[in-house]
Amino acid sequence: MEQDTLAALVKLIMADKRIMDLIKTGSYDGTSQGCDLTLIETNDLFETLPFEWRGNVCCQERPDGGDGFLSLDAAVQREWNRIRVYQPSLNAIAKLALGIADEPLLKILQQKLMEGGEKIELLRLCNLSKIKADPYKNRFLGYIEKVKSYGIKINEDGFTAAEGDFPTAVKTRKACSEKIDAGIYQYKALTERDLLDIEKGTVLTVGKKCIVTSLAVDMARRKSIQICREGEVK
């Protein structure tokens, strides 16, 4: 008897369009406007998502949706309050920086960037310490700066993790002129932001192992700032 009552109750609930809309889209009216979208590249990442982020999830491995995932078309067509990209791979970050949209997740981001309506943020980036070659690590730091220039927010914890053995986050850095001890820039990475307050024509000496991002090089060229390595003749 109790089973019959429970079955009837479930049937009644499932027949209520408002409840079904809430389950499917997170809103009573069948739209997802005002809701957040979470993008992941692989199915296994879903199990690591915080519970409150599992309402609207689009997985790159499931572009057609199903099993609780939104389809690529649904993710693109709807309006979102915020789009979070959870644990993006190094490959995804590089392609995003270069404007390459040859994968479902990147197609969504490209479309939403063109529309300019949603806030986009990258969360829990892969650690750049996995990259052993300094020149390529240097290039990747440039990619991160490029992504930020699109208006995409890099989660503070994620950015620190992304820098790997460069533990100082951009947000907490002071003006570059305040970070020079005995005339030498002491941090392990020099970014475009660090050169914003440096006067034109300045000669800046960096440590022998300091990584200078490509965007920092461009900024230095525009401001006629000469960057020298410690021990080099100026």
Side-chain angles (χ1 to χ4, degrees):
M1 187 65 181
E2 292 182 358
Q3 291 182 345
D4 292 339
T5 302
L6 181 59
L9 180 60
V10 171
K11 186 176 181 179
L12 182 63
I13 292 174
M14 297 297 285
D16 192 321
K17 184 178 182 300
R18 296 172 301 170
I19 295 178
M20 293 307 298
D21 286 341
L22 182 61
I23 293 174
K24 292 179 179 179
T25 68
S27 66
Y28 289 109
D29 59 1
T31 68
S32 54
Q33 188 170 359
C35 297
D36 294 345
L37 171 67
T38 301
L39 300 177
I40 57 177
E41 293 182 73
T42 59
N43 290 329
D44 58 299
L45 285 177
F46 183 82
E47 296 302 324
T48 67
L49 284 173
F51 183 78
E52 61 271 20
W53 293 358
R54 299 184 182 187
N56 297 293
V57 181
C58 182
C59 178
Q60 182 159 271
E61 292 182 341
R62 302 296 298 271
D64 296 326
D67 292 335
F69 292 116
L70 289 174
S71 67
L72 170 63
D73 290 340
V76 170
Q77 292 172 5
R78 297 176 185 174
E79 295 181 6
W80 306 98
N81 180 53
R82 176 176 57 179
I83 298 176
R84 60 174 69 90
V85 186
Y86 184 74
Q87 290 190 19
S89 65
L90 299 179
N91 179 59
I93 295 171
K95 288 184 175 182
L96 180 60
L98 296 172
I100 299 173
D102 60 349
E103 299 176 1
L105 183 147
L106 295 169
K107 289 178 180 179
I108 294 173
L109 293 176
Q110 183 185 70
Q111 181 65 36
K112 294 306 182 181
L113 283 171
M114 289 191 296
E115 294 173 359
E118 288 89 354
K119 298 178 181 178
I120 301 175
E121 60 181 343
L122 307 186
L123 301 169
R124 302 185 185 178
L125 279 64
C126 295
N127 198 313
L128 284 190
S129 62
K130 296 178 180 179
I131 303 176
K132 303 303 180 183
D134 285 344
Y136 194 65
K137 187 179 293 184
N138 174 18
R139 177 178 292 273
F140 230 95
L141 284 173
Y143 287 157
I144 290 176
E145 290 295 307
K146 189 68 174 177
V147 168
K148 293 185 65 158
S149 74
Y150 298 153
I152 295 176
K153 179 181 177 182
I154 305 291
N155 179 268
E156 187 69 19
D157 294 335
F159 189 84
T160 303
E163 289 190 310
D165 52 345
F166 317 131
T168 49
V170 169
K171 190 174 181 180
T172 61
R173 292 178 179 176
K174 298 180 180 179
C176 179
S177 58
E178 298 178 9
K179 297 185 288 187
I180 300 176
D181 182 17
I184 299 176
Y185 180 87
Q186 297 294 337
Y187 282 69
K188 293 184 178 181
L190 178 69
T191 70
E192 180 185 26
R193 289 173 179 265
D194 296 321
L195 299 179
L196 291 177
D197 297 323
I198 300 299
E199 295 182 0
K200 292 183 177 181
T202 298
V203 177
L204 178 64
T205 302
V206 300
K208 294 180 179 179
K209 296 184 178 181
C210 178
I211 301 297
V212 182
T213 69
S214 58
L215 291 179
V217 172
D218 291 340
M219 173 68 76
R221 186 181 299 112
R222 292 196 299 269
K223 298 184 68 173
S224 300
I225 297 173
Q226 182 181 354
I227 300 175
C228 300
R229 291 287 178 185
E230 182 180 3
E232 291 180 355
V233 179
K234 299 179 182 179

